[in-house]
Each structure stands twice: as structure tokens, then as C-alpha cells.
Amino acid sequence: NGDAFSALLNSEACSALFYQGTCYGLKTAAKYAKVDVVSYDMLRRGVSDVQALGNVACANVEACYNEVFYAVSDCAAADDGFIEGVIDRATEMYKARAEQALAEFGE
């Protein structure tokens, strides 16, 4: 539910991961917007201060994972169809993205 997701974003560990990851993701996407295929070597050479991202991840990933695990467990306990619903929505999302990618590839 939306409240559980909001609570995760407000947690210290998960918000640190989310905001740091979003910042790096947006900057990297802008930097490589005109590149067809971004390689790991390009990222290694071109993304400054990646050590800071790693430090934030290492400092927060376990605590955030535990919070996500308990939130998902609570949702699953409250709704018998929760896990199946998540799988169904994820399948629909990936299918839509794959169909779009295939359509673009065929153009």
C-alpha cells in the first residue's frame, strides 16, 4: 500500500539509498543520453565519486532490506493475494516495456 511505501522512503536507511541512487541515476542518464550502449568501463571512468555511492549503499542496504522485507511480509499477511498481485503487475509492466522495445526495434 502507499502508506507502507511512504514509510520506507521516510526511513533513514531507505531514503539515503533512494535519494543517492536517484541522484547518480539522473546525472548518469543525462551524461550518456546520446550513447547507444553504456559499458561498465565507461561508467568506471566517467562517473565521479562513485565511492560515495558505494559507501552509502554499504552503510544502508542491510537496514533498508530488513525494512522492505518486514513491510512486504506485513502486506502479504494482511492480503492473501498480495504476492500474486505484485507478480501480476510486474509481469504486465515488463511485458509492456518489452512490447514497446520490440516495436521501436522494428522501426
Side-chain angles (χ1 to χ4, degrees), residues 15-74:
S15 66
L17 289 173
F18 178 78
Y19 290 112
Q20 188 78 10
T22 300
C23 178
Y24 273 84
L26 292 172
K27 287 182 177 182
T28 303
K31 181 173 184 167
Y32 298 111
K34 295 182 180 180
V35 176
D36 288 333
V37 177
V38 177
S39 69
Y40 286 111
D41 189 54
M42 290 170 69
L43 293 174
R44 179 185 62 81
R45 289 182 287 119
V47 178
S48 63
D49 205 18
V50 77
Q51 183 177 359
L53 177 62
N55 289 340
V56 169
C58 288
N60 294 287
V61 73
E62 184 177 4
C64 182
Y65 170 83
N66 289 335
E67 292 176 30
V68 170
F69 175 82
Y70 292 121
V72 169
S73 296
D74 289 347

Side-chain angles (χ1 to χ4, degrees), residues 5-17:
F5 183 72
S6 293
L8 290 173
L9 287 181
N10 289 325
S11 77
E12 186 175 333
C14 292
S15 66
L17 289 173

